[in-house]
Amino acid sequence: MPDALDATPYDALLLLSFGGPEGPDDVVPFLENVTRGRGIPKERLKEVGQHYFLFGGVSPINDQNRALLDALRKDFAEHALDLPVYWGNRNWAPYLTDTLREMVADGRRRILVLATSAYASYSGCRQYRENLADALAALEAEGLELPKIDKLRHYFNHPGFVEPMVDGVLRSLADLPEDVRDGAHIAFTTHSIPTAAADTSGPVEAHGEGGAYVEQHLDVAQLIADAVRERTGVDHPWRLVYQSRSGAPHIPWLEPDICDHLEERHAAGAPAVVMAPIGFVSDHMEVLYDLDTEATAKAEELGLPVRRSATVGADPRFAAAIRDLILERSAVERGQEVTPCALGALGASHNLCPIGCCPSRAPRPAAAGVDSPYA
């Protein structure tokens, strides 16, 4: 057996995710959770839910989180890391507050959180921190002893996140017909967000056009493109593009959209395109519908060969990366000097989100940051 790894002072890991419906009857209630407070009529939610109904009313995200939980537990056991792993969601069962209540009942007092979002943004970081604060407030109102909660840093440039995506792009290129393979373009895709949210993503010093959100994605795209060139000898043209826009038409969101980009690449004479969803940890609904269904249909209409590369999912290298991040943060909390593992030009992200990082339109308490009311 390997020597036991030291995760002290932490006594549990919480996988924190978005959640998704697991049957047709769940779709509208799930969307009501997602859009709570926006006054969207139920009939409109049924229209929005058509994407889910195409797949039997089931989002793949919950099963993918179960697979990641299994991968983490297997990796921890193989490396003698004694750290129980729990799971809670923002919008569907198992709900975050219920999971935190269970963790407190189990005696967990120092909890590390892994969010299934690798990049800085309001919806990918700050909102999860607000959810944690809401859950802690609910437990406090119940008179429960509150645990101390920290969140793992952004892992967009950790080798265990980047390398599986490199392999995915290489497999997709190899799957293209040989006569179009070397000329194929790579479209690195991520979730579009309002430009105002992008511009204020990350710490205050990173704010500006696109903010940390765009900068971090561009860094990862460059890492993957460079690795592909080194392994194939071919320098494939690439661009960061966006998908899954859901906001009002009059509000500016990040562009270009993947379907518009495919039209533009086809008009410019590109022989093929690989769509690489670097903004997503797993193949959830935005990947299955917006890329595998909608964008693929657009490419077929154009007569443009496309392939979609794999997300990281439950790749063992990703599980190992999470173990590395846990040990790194644990050592920091014990006062030890640590050299964080990170690729690319940006270096390792912060451990504690500073004041002004990814602000919300209406300020709300957020846990696991410098401004946390739950120190």
Side-chain angles (χ1 to χ4, degrees):
M1 290 288 293
D3 293 334
L5 299 178
D6 189 2
T8 56
Y10 297 107
D11 55 19
L13 177 70
L14 168 62
L15 176 67
L16 178 56
S17 193
F18 192 81
E22 301 204 74
D25 292 341
D26 297 344
V27 173
V28 172
F30 163 74
L31 292 173
E32 288 175 333
N33 288 342
V34 173
T35 61
R36 181 168 286 116
R38 301 183 201 173
I40 300 176
K42 183 170 288 190
E43 289 307 311
R44 174 58 182 152
L45 294 180
K46 289 179 181 178
E47 294 175 18
V48 174
Q50 290 307 312
H51 295 179
Y52 291 96
F53 293 126
L54 287 174
F55 296 89
V58 178
S59 168
I61 192 170
N62 283 344
D63 276 347
Q64 289 162 4
N65 280 327
R66 292 183 183 103
L68 179 56
L69 287 168
D70 289 344
L72 291 169
R73 289 166 178 153
K74 181 175 185 290
D75 178 273
F76 293 0
E78 289 175 348
H79 293 86
L81 176 59
D82 184 15
L83 195 69
V85 186
Y86 295 74
W87 171 33
N89 289 324
R90 172 187 293 167
N91 297 303
W92 202 249
Y95 288 103
L96 170 59
T97 302
D98 295 337
T99 300
L100 276 183
R101 189 181 294 111
E102 176 190 357
M103 296 177 82
V104 169
D106 289 346
R108 311 305 175 191
R109 295 295 178 262
R110 289 295 304 270
I111 297 170
L112 261 177
V113 174
L114 163 65
T116 54
S117 176
Y119 301 86
S121 70
Y122 171 72
S123 58
C125 183
R126 173 85 192 190
Q127 191 174 9
Y128 281 122
R129 293 176 50 228
E130 291 174 354
N131 299 148
L132 286 165
D134 290 344
L136 288 169
L139 298 189
E140 187 175 39
E142 296 171 14
L144 298 177
E145 182 180 352
L146 299 187
K148 177 172 170 46
I149 293 179
D150 292 320
K151 179 177 173 292
L152 288 173
R153 65 176 173 89
H154 301 303
Y155 46 83
F156 63 93
N157 57 1
H158 194 287
F161 185 68
V162 175
E163 289 167 2
M165 293 190 292
V166 172
D167 288 348
V169 172
L170 290 169
R171 285 193 296 270
S172 291
L173 287 167
D175 192 49
L176 284 168
E178 189 173 357
D179 60 331
V180 300
R181 187 178 304 151
D182 286 353
H185 289 227
I186 305 174
F188 293 106
T189 78
T190 190
H191 208 301
S192 184
I193 62 175
T195 56
D199 294 346
T200 57
S201 58
V204 172
E205 60 270 20
H207 293 180
E209 187 175 355
Y213 185 76
V214 172
E215 183 181 42
Q216 290 170 359
H217 281 87
L218 287 172
D219 197 45
V220 172
Q222 188 67 65
L223 283 167
I224 296 172
D226 289 347
V228 169
R229 183 184 64 251
E230 290 167 6
R231 298 187 199 182
T232 65
V234 179
D235 192 5
H236 292 272
W238 63 269
R239 185 171 182 183
L240 178 63
V241 302
Y242 302 93
Q243 60 175 90
S244 312
R245 174 182 172 137
S246 59
H250 68 280
I251 298 175
W253 282 51
L254 293 173
E255 296 178 334
D257 176 76
I258 178 61
C259 289
D260 295 337
H261 180 68
L262 292 176
E263 289 185 339
E264 187 273 332
R265 286 293 81 209
H266 178 256
V273 173
V274 168
M275 301 181 293
I278 62 172
F280 304 90
V281 171
S282 63
D283 290 4
H284 50 71
M285 188 56 68
E286 282 87 347
V287 176
L288 288 189
Y289 182 80
D290 296 333
L291 294 184
D292 293 356
T293 305
E294 191 173 52
T296 298
K298 171 59 69 174
E300 290 175 355
E301 173 191 318
L302 297 169
L304 178 67
V306 294
R307 297 292 185 273
R308 195 269 291 173
S309 66
T311 52
V312 171
D315 190 291
R317 290 169 291 183
F318 183 45
I322 301 308
R323 169 171 40 87
D324 179 65
L325 291 169
I326 290 167
L327 296 176
E328 173 195 303
R329 184 62 181 273
S330 300
V332 168
E333 291 297 308
R334 295 195 301 268
Q336 298 173 240
E337 288 192 15
V338 176
T339 301
C341 187
L343 301 174
L346 300 180
S349 185
H350 48 260
N351 280 324
L352 278 176
C353 292
I355 293 172
C357 191
C358 304
S360 54
R361 286 173 293 179
R364 293 173 51 200
V370 173
D371 57 351
S372 172
Y374 300 101

